[in-house]
Amino acid sequence: MSESSFTLLRDIGSLLLENGEEVRFSIDAYRGYRYVSVRRYIQTDSFAGATRDGITLTPEIVQVLAPLVAALPDDPTQIKDGTLGKFAKRPGICVVASVDTFRGRRGIDLRQWEKDTLRTKKGIWIPLEKIKEIKSLFSATKDALNEAPPELDEF
């Protein structure tokens, strides 16, 4: 395995959106560490593949975030806007999970922040009307992380 590339360990599933878009959840390895990737993919006549829209989460973040997402009501109209949680990713970097409105639509925003005050472009916004599927994907990801990981040396 090249030290500078991600290796797919497990494809968890995807959330189908409009216009040939989908959000894929997967467990990947990078430099010997496991990460959860939540990334938007598109398929058009001229391009098919991953976009820049996405984020990697540590297994520890997912273990804490998944129950918070599971506790949200199944009815999107009953979910209040606000921060679900702030999670340390590495020194100087954290991930903030929140429910907010973007371009007139409500969704869950998973965004990387620098030094707790600088919102970055790294992240993904997932439409809230897909809350049942979002809950299912986070639950499946958490369950997969609880299974014994493959030996990363094999990759």
Side-chain angles (χ1 to χ4, degrees):
M1 167 179 95
S2 171
E3 287 246 344
S4 63
S5 65
F6 279 90
T7 301
L8 176 66
L9 297 179
R10 183 158 179 192
D11 183 21
I12 302 298
S14 62
L15 177 70
L16 298 177
L17 305 175
E18 61 275 341
N19 302 326
E21 295 182 14
E22 64 182 334
V23 175
R24 292 185 190 169
F25 283 62
S26 64
I27 299 174
D28 304 319
Y30 180 72
R31 295 187 177 179
Y33 295 98
R34 289 189 312 160
Y35 287 94
V36 172
S37 292
V38 181
R39 183 151 311 277
R40 185 178 310 272
Y41 285 73
I42 61 170
Q43 184 165 355
T44 65
D45 293 336
S46 60
F47 177 78
T51 67
R52 292 183 183 197
D53 219 10
I55 193 165
T56 58
L57 306 169
T58 64
E60 295 80 15
I61 291 173
V62 174
Q63 294 294 343
V64 177
L65 180 57
L68 296 174
V69 171
L72 294 172
D74 285 342
D75 180 0
T77 62
Q78 300 299 313
I79 301 173
K80 296 180 181 176
D81 287 2
T83 301
L84 297 175
K86 184 195 280 187
F87 314 95
K89 185 171 178 179
R90 61 181 181 268
I93 303 289
C94 69
V95 172
V96 175
S98 61
V99 175
D100 62 11
T101 303
F102 178 71
R103 294 184 181 169
R105 292 176 65 197
R106 296 181 67 226
I108 294 178
D109 187 46
L110 303 173
R111 188 75 39 197
Q112 190 165 293
W113 289 64
E114 292 181 12
K115 300 179 182 152
D116 294 340
T117 58
L118 301 171
R119 185 177 194 266
T120 70
K121 290 183 179 183
K122 291 184 181 180
I124 190 164
W125 182 89
I126 308 169
L128 202 55
E129 62 259 17
K130 302 278 188 173
I131 188 62
K132 290 180 184 177
E133 293 96 327
I134 295 167
K135 287 176 159 188
S136 176
L137 286 165
F138 268 104
S139 176
T141 303
K142 183 177 182 249
D143 291 346
L145 287 170
N146 288 334
E147 295 172 4
E151 293 297 321
L152 296 180
D153 297 349
E154 298 173 10
F155 298 97

